[in-house]
Amino acid sequence: MQQRQTADRLEDAPATAATQRATDAAADAADDPSATPSAQAFSFTGRASEYFGVWIVNVLLSVLTLGIYSAWAKVRNERYFYGNTILAGHAFDYLASPVQILKGRLIAVAFLVLWSVAVEFFWWVDLMMLLFVLPLIMPWAMVRALTFAARYSSHRNVRFDFNGTMREAFVVYVLLGFGDLLTLGLLHPYTAYRRRRFHLEHSSYGGTPFSFSGTARSFYHVYVKAVILALPFLLIAVGLVHAAGLNLIMLLEHLSADELVGAARDGGRGVVSALLPLAVLFLVLSVLVPAIYVDTRLANYAWSETRLGPHRFTLGLDFGRILWLRFSNLVAIVMSIGLLIPWARVRMARYRIERLRLAVVGSLDGLIAAEQQRLAATGDELGEALGLDIGL
Amino acid sequence: MTTFQASYFDGRSSTARAVRVTIDDDALVWVRGAGLELRYALSDVRISPRVGRAPRSISLPQGAKCETSDNDAVDRAAARHRVGALPRLLHALESRLPWVVGALVATLLLGWATIEYGVPHLARYVAMAVPHEIDRQLGREALALLDDLMFEPSQLDAPVRARLAARFEELAAAANSEGATRLVFRASPEIGANALALPSGTVVMTDELVHLAAHEDELIAVLAHELGHVQGRHALRSILQNSTTVVLIAAATGDLTSLGSLSATLPTLLLETKYSREFELEADDYAATLLPRVGIPPDRLVAILQRLEAATSGGDDILLGYVSTHPAIKERVRRLTDRAN
């Protein structure tokens, strides 16, 4: 069997990387007659009925223990989804310990409590937080969270890894974040691109790095199309508001659920009132639908430009289907007062996971684990890490 | 002795090897196959807790691992050697139907009890501790907003307003209400006949309500009801209850991301109107106690409520009653009449 040391990072321009890959592939082909990429589909074996049991016990015990159990709940939850995601016959594994997660959460809570108390005594705390503390803490927290998530995930007992630097995290999350604000969002596609790239280019599976060949321009294309998609909804919303005799500014200023329900119910004003909640609905859709569009298209694009060594991913999510899934899930959740959340999650996970493919060149055997993993016999050297998990 | 199929991963590379794992009666773990012949003590090995049918990991020393889908076999071996009792119990809780149903019922009961009793109590406790300055601030801002959106200056004659204001002072004195109270008037074709109690102790009465009443005492009865809202600090409690509910629902279902989305708002919207209903009834009770002290029979309140109901277009639709921001007037009338008898 061919053992390939793909420890060299593909940092160069796409052209060079392509040449490198071509050489690798050619070498593979020379050694192994079946080197044509075989498309391995991911599969999800989770079932709503089974997951419901896990979920409801998580909720009950978390409530009974006033939230302490939530760390265990998180681990069980992740292990359920990881363990039911199968690639080429083997599942993924989530290795974090609940105690780490609990520590991380308690620290986050303590921090928030301290902040709210400090604000009562010192008026300048909020300003300090915004200008100094948060811009410094955020890159640190992001890097720690990404590293934690990576190192405590494994497939075939080889852990993933993330080695992004805090300096680059600062640029990508803080500087570009401010840039977004200053340019009123025009920079955002670029920011999204840079963040994706930051995440992928510093990730690796054992000693095999991921690489990302996407371009900022493609991100812009998706966002522009999303804005165009928003227009019909906006026009309808504005039209409805005008028909109701108000103007959009008033509507936005005084938006509240009470007033919507009140407006809808006020029989005396009839048609005019019914238009207002409809207008709000279209306003909401004008944000939600493009957001889902961006999420779907970018996911497809980004995954399809991602490689693990020579192996290439493709993701084929259908926007229409995702839209349907999201809305039907929402309706189901609301109608069932939340009891159908497990069903909705399994349903969405199954669709998203089963549309992911990996074109494997040769085989997935023989990918070497990272140095730390090989050296740290029990893997507990990483155990000092705080279980910081921000919902990424 | 238990045997099952597994995949062995040495932790150095991703290569999978098909093996047979045996856990024998001497608490020894054997891993055999694909050129491997390994032996470990059960105490040196870590079996992962079971989650549904997800593959089980048996972590071996030196970073190696066996993964198997045969969860039942692993459980049998673990039970035999009295290892991992707690994880097994947890899995039983999550997978056996009676326990799942039990957990569901317990969760729903807990959730209902918290929202029905826990949150209002907490909100009341907190609201009573909040300084009056907050109330005054809320009141000022609310009035400014309403003046902006739907109030116009009152068209009532000055003597009428002065008289009503004076009677309101009398009422407030009889109530021993803490904090300053005052009565202001506005015209509002959009709201119609109504009186609103602001947290600051200011009560707004619309011209339309003054015109609707057949007797001045009916207006005082309404003011007594509004004073009930002020005394009970209902506005603040309402805000507290609603935000707590949203946070609780989000925290319990683990869906923090949905805090802003519709699935979190709609249930709380329903609950929110229920809270309002309870506050209305509480204010009615307050008025029923206060009015006799100034020599006004509570059926003045009944009369004006009936007039209000006749004036607005809605009938008594129970479903609509739940969704409305004011409880069905018929119910309030019934309660007040029962109380008087």
Side-chain angles (χ1 to χ4, degrees):
Chain A
M1 192 180 328
Q2 179 98 28
Q3 300 272 344
R4 179 153 294 282
Q5 288 278 15
T6 36
D8 296 322
R9 301 207 8 158
L10 298 162
E11 299 171 308
D12 309 324
T16 324
T19 324
Q20 177 70 38
R21 281 197 296 276
T23 322
D24 285 348
D28 267 325
D31 295 330
D32 184 353
S34 64
T36 47
S38 64
Q40 297 283 351
F42 282 75
S43 65
F44 183 68
T45 53
R47 286 195 307 235
S49 52
E50 182 185 56
Y51 178 55
F52 183 82
V54 177
W55 181 80
I56 193 73
V57 171
N58 278 351
V59 171
L60 179 64
L61 292 180
S62 296
V63 169
L64 283 177
T65 58
L66 300 177
I68 305 282
Y69 186 79
S70 68
W72 279 260
K74 159 105 186 178
V75 169
R76 287 188 85 70
N77 201 63
E78 299 301 277
R79 289 198 52 228
Y80 184 81
F81 282 92
Y82 275 54
N84 279 301
T85 304
I86 317 279
L87 172 65
H90 297 285
F92 290 78
D93 204 358
Y94 184 69
L95 307 162
S97 90
V99 174
Q100 287 171 310
I101 306 252
L102 185 63
K103 274 195 234 169
R105 288 188 172 185
L106 287 176
I107 290 185
V109 167
F111 175 74
L112 285 172
V113 168
L114 263 166
W115 181 354
S116 7
V117 169
V119 166
E120 296 308 309
F121 290 103
F122 308 107
W123 63 269
W124 39 260
V125 169
D126 273 345
L127 204 63
M128 277 280 290
M129 289 299 297
L130 208 60
L131 288 181
F132 300 112
V133 181
L134 279 182
L136 291 175
I137 284 197
M138 216 201 143
W140 174 81
M142 289 305 295
V143 169
R144 288 239 47 80
L146 287 168
T147 310
F148 184 79
R151 290 196 183 158
Y152 288 88
S153 303
S154 76
H155 177 67
R156 301 165 174 238
N157 201 22
V158 170
R159 293 191 192 215
F160 291 85
D161 198 3
F162 179 77
N163 58 15
T165 61
M166 271 190 257
R167 164 189 284 179
E168 197 178 339
F170 181 79
V171 167
V172 155
Y173 288 104
V174 179
L175 288 183
L176 286 181
F178 276 126
D180 268 4
L181 285 174
L182 289 174
T183 59
L184 300 175
L186 286 176
L187 193 64
H188 189 69
Y190 178 72
T191 306
Y193 158 72
R194 284 295 302 271
R195 288 175 181 172
R196 196 76 181 218
R197 207 177 82 183
F198 174 64
H199 190 174
L200 284 170
E201 287 195 337
H202 296 285
S203 297
S204 57
Y205 173 64
T208 314
F210 283 88
S211 63
F212 181 59
S213 50
T215 62
R217 168 189 279 186
S218 305
F219 274 66
Y220 270 97
H221 281 164
V222 173
Y223 274 90
V224 164
K225 286 189 199 147
V227 168
I228 295 174
L229 189 57
L231 289 177
F233 295 99
L234 270 176
L235 285 173
I236 296 177
V238 171
L240 286 171
V241 166
H242 272 292
L246 299 172
N247 66 56
L248 201 59
I249 314 287
M250 259 179 90
L251 187 71
L252 289 171
E253 272 181 357
H254 306 292
L255 211 57
S256 91
D258 286 346
E259 290 178 31
L260 285 183
V261 174
R265 262 194 57 252
D266 210 345
R269 290 202 301 225
V271 178
V272 173
S273 304
L275 289 178
L276 282 180
L278 254 177
V280 170
L281 175 67
F282 275 93
L283 213 59
V284 166
L285 286 176
S286 75
V287 172
L288 271 184
V289 173
I292 295 175
Y293 178 80
V294 165
D295 180 59
T296 312
R297 282 276 186 271
L298 280 185
N300 282 349
Y301 175 68
W303 274 103
S304 304
E305 296 292 328
T306 304
R307 282 171 178 72
L308 172 65
H311 315 296
R312 195 192 155 158
F313 290 94
T314 39
L315 180 61
L317 297 175
D318 175 54
F319 172 54
R321 177 107 187 111
I322 291 275
L323 208 57
W324 163 248
L325 281 175
R326 287 281 183 101
F327 282 114
S328 54
N329 279 350
L330 179 64
V331 169
I333 289 174
V334 169
M335 288 297 157
S336 65
I337 46 166
L339 292 178
L340 282 179
I341 286 177
W343 173 81
R345 283 197 192 160
V346 165
R347 196 176 173 228
M348 185 57 94
R350 176 174 302 120
Y351 182 68
R352 290 187 81 114
I353 289 171
E354 295 195 338
R355 302 291 279 198
L356 185 62
R357 276 174 171 59
L358 181 62
V360 176
V361 175
S363 112
L364 286 173
D365 283 344
L367 292 169
I368 310 283
E371 277 302 319
Q372 305 112 301
Q373 182 175 351
R374 282 181 279 142
L375 292 178
T378 55
D380 273 327
E381 287 185 15
L382 306 170
E384 263 25 271
L386 285 175
L388 266 179
D389 69 307
I390 302 169
L392 287 174
Chain B
M1 176 166 106
T2 329
T3 307
F4 49 87
Q5 306 289 350
S7 297
Y8 173 84
F9 303 101
D10 62 9
R12 293 171 203 289
S13 85
S14 60
T15 310
R17 286 189 255 196
V19 295
R20 264 183 357 269
V21 176
T22 306
I23 303 179
D24 68 19
D25 298 336
D26 301 322
L28 288 174
V29 180
W30 298 85
V31 179
R32 285 184 272 239
L36 291 166
E37 177 89 27
L38 304 164
R39 187 186 72 181
Y40 305 97
L42 187 57
S43 50
D44 290 338
V45 143
R46 200 179 64 88
I47 303 177
S48 68
R50 180 169 179 176
V51 183
R53 287 167 308 121
R56 207 72 164 272
S57 297
I58 297 163
S59 304
L60 308 169
Q62 271 109 52
K65 179 159 85 165
C66 282
E67 266 180 20
T68 177
S69 318
D70 198 344
N71 275 298
D72 292 333
V74 177
D75 281 345
R76 278 200 304 275
R80 183 156 178 342
H81 295 278
R82 302 184 210 294
V83 167
L86 213 55
R88 265 203 308 283
L89 183 63
L90 195 53
H91 170 73
L93 207 61
E94 288 170 355
S95 57
R96 305 243 183 90
L97 191 61
W99 287 109
V100 172
V101 170
L104 177 60
V105 169
T107 306
L108 288 174
L109 271 175
L110 250 168
W112 173 81
T114 308
I115 289 176
E116 181 77 16
Y117 301 111
V119 172
H121 264 94
L122 189 67
R124 177 127 148 266
Y125 183 73
V126 173
M128 293 307 176
V130 165
H132 285 283
E133 178 51 42
I134 309 274
D135 282 342
R136 285 198 285 273
Q137 178 94 347
L138 277 171
R140 276 197 294 269
E141 286 170 12
L143 189 57
L145 205 71
L146 289 166
D147 277 337
D148 226 354
L149 181 59
M150 52 182 74
F151 279 166
E152 286 154 31
S154 171
Q155 306 295 320
L156 294 171
D157 297 327
V160 174
R161 284 188 271 159
R163 200 177 141 62
L164 283 169
R167 288 201 69 182
F168 182 62
E169 287 308 314
E170 243 178 62
L171 192 67
N176 269 336
S177 64
E178 47 181 60
T181 54
R182 67 186 180 118
L183 179 62
V184 299
F185 296 89
R186 295 284 188 276
S188 180
E190 278 155 348
I191 296 187
N194 215 332
L196 299 168
L198 299 173
S200 52
T202 305
V203 178
V204 182
M205 180 172 277
T206 62
D207 292 357
E208 290 80 359
L209 181 64
V210 176
H211 295 317
L212 184 68
H215 190 286
E216 209 177 68
D217 278 358
E218 289 179 0
L219 295 173
I220 306 304
V222 172
L223 288 174
H225 169 95
E226 295 308 315
L227 258 183
H229 284 317
V230 175
Q231 283 299 95
R233 308 186 80 167
H234 290 170
L236 191 59
R237 279 160 70 183
S238 211
I239 295 172
L240 286 170
Q241 280 172 180
N242 295 338
S243 32
T244 316
T245 313
V246 170
V247 171
L248 279 181
I249 288 180
T253 57
D255 252 332
L256 283 165
T257 49
S258 68
L259 256 175
S261 81
L262 220 53
S263 49
T265 352
L266 273 169
T268 53
L269 174 64
L270 286 176
L271 291 165
E272 175 185 312
T273 58
K274 182 177 196 288
Y275 288 142
S276 290
R277 179 174 148 267
E278 268 151 12
F279 287 148
E280 291 293 313
L281 298 179
E282 205 175 295
D284 277 348
D285 290 343
Y286 182 88
T289 321
L290 177 61
L291 285 170
R293 286 198 229 152
V294 289
I296 297 177
D299 56 21
R300 291 292 191 191
L301 185 56
V302 173
I304 186 75
L305 284 177
Q306 284 169 328
R307 254 181 261 282
L308 276 167
E309 190 201 2
T312 58
S313 52
D316 194 322
D317 187 323
I318 300 176
L319 195 64
L320 214 58
Y322 203 87
V323 184
S324 89
T325 51
H326 298 286
I329 293 184
K330 280 207 174 78
E331 183 194 352
R332 289 173 64 191
V333 163
R334 202 177 1 109
R335 267 179 99 249
L336 284 165
T337 326
D338 287 348
R339 210 194 139 107
N341 302 342

